[in-house]
Amino acid sequence: MSEQAKVYYSDLRCRPGVSLLDKLKKLIRRAGIGEIDFDHKLVAIKMHFGEPGNLAFLRPNYAKAVADVVKELGGIPFLTDCNTLYPGRRKNALEHLDAAYENGFTPLSTGCQVIIGDGLRGNDDVEVPVAGAEYIQTAKIGKAIMEADVVISLSHFKGHEQTGFGGAIKNIGMGCGSRAGKMDMHCAGKPDVDKSVCRGCGVCMKNCAHGAIAFDENRKAGIDHGKCVGCGRCIGACNFDAVYNGNDSANDELNYKMAEYAKAVVDGRPAFHINIVNQVSPYCDCHGENDTAIIPDVGMFASFDPVALDVACADACNRMPVMPGSLLDENLRACGARDHHDHFTNVSPNTDWRSCMEHGEKIGLGTRSYELITVK
């Protein structure tokens, strides 16, 4: 049996004179963040800035608290995320920064810079080999994140329609992948074109190094999957969202690849992980809206082990009652509903978050066995 990882937990109760930010700083110090050598080190604080319109994402105050501790320990922090694969307001660095600023993540509010990890169009990446990987050869990770000396994940723990939930592993695995990396995790890597949206501008063809894109008699683009290598650069190049990821992998395979990408991000350098389990919405913060929370707020968790951390958070969530009127409550009350005895599977029945945790343990990302230590 593997040795238990230590996961530190603090509830969200605040007596007069002590704020949640005070409690967060105390939590991460007790969890051992000070054991990392931060002296003049560049520190990537990986988080999700939230799709505009969604109000469940973590407030920037949490990011400032973590950045303040890093600076007190001698580090040079920056907040980061990589561009999205899907259409939205975070698909290139300019829109992504606008979205981050709109949601309150600015150098003035957080005390550190905001850098989009995979560049202007999501093509600025580094190919990283992954020891023990079974599903990928190399992980395509945002270059700025790989150039950091230390990685800290600061995650909003919530439900997810493909992976069951989004926690530390999704934040650093899927979240640190460039556009090509997200293609690699989500599908066989062969994009398609929505001809009804295509403007025939030719930018996608100019960005294809393999001659896989041609235009028909109506000046609509098409992709030859026999020539396409699945790099995803045409997706990033299109200004009209006409090129898209059209072939999702099965959810378990997505979970396996995500764990392998997470290992690529943390291997060979110090890493520390924080999950804030509040406003546990049923779906990802990538949505431009958020549904009501499925359970009451739980607390804050921190660990050096992302697998143990995510499992501890999932276990804590499953001990919570169902929030009346939520999607979870609705699903359980539906005619013929099957209770899976897991809140996240009951929200999205085609998902199994345990497959990600099992694979993460198998490849050496962490352990599912943990000791929960409460910090008052």
Side-chain angles (χ1 to χ4, degrees), residues 184-222:
D184 190 20
M185 283 180 275
H186 271 292
C187 68
K190 307 293 183 181
D192 291 301
V193 178
D194 181 349
K195 293 183 183 294
S196 69
V197 181
C198 176
R199 303 283 187 91
C201 67
V203 172
C204 58
M205 186 169 67
K206 292 175 184 176
N207 278 270
C208 180
H210 305 279
I213 299 178
F215 290 84
D216 62 20
E217 63 277 7
N218 296 316
R219 192 61 188 172
K220 301 293 185 179

Side-chain angles (χ1 to χ4, degrees), residues 65-135:
V66 176
D68 285 348
V69 171
V70 168
K71 288 190 287 186
E72 288 166 14
L73 293 169
I76 307 168
F78 64 95
L79 305 183
T80 190
D81 195 7
C82 288
N83 291 305
T84 60
L85 187 59
Y86 58 86
R89 287 186 53 194
R90 296 179 300 119
K91 64 182 182 295
N92 64 61
L94 300 181
E95 290 180 90
H96 205 155
L97 284 171
D98 283 344
Y101 293 165
E102 183 175 317
N103 283 343
F105 296 93
T106 72
L108 289 176
S109 62
T110 64
C112 63
Q113 296 295 327
V114 181
I115 298 174
I116 304 306
D118 58 346
L120 182 61
R121 292 186 180 271
N123 298 327
D124 195 1
D125 57 22
V126 177
E127 294 203 23
V128 183
V130 187
E134 298 178 9
Y135 291 86

Side-chain angles (χ1 to χ4, degrees), residues 313-330:
C313 291
D315 288 347
C317 288
N318 278 320
R319 289 191 291 268
M320 298 298 285
V322 176
M323 191 73 82
S326 67
L327 178 61
L328 174 58
D329 182 46
E330 182 180 296

Side-chain angles (χ1 to χ4, degrees), residues 1 17 24 118 235-236 246 269 283 367 369:
M1 184 176 177
L24 176 57
D118 58 346
I235 298 178
R269 58 180 166 172
Y283 299 138
T367 176
S369 180

Side-chain angles (χ1 to χ4, degrees), residues 14-15 24 41 48 60 105 167 229 238 284 289 294 307 338-339 359:
C14 286
R15 276 70 178 180
L24 176 57
K41 300 293 195 298
H48 192 307
F105 296 93
V229 299
C238 182
C284 184
E289 78 292 322
I294 59 174
V307 177
R338 175 190 169 194
D339 186 355
H359 193 66

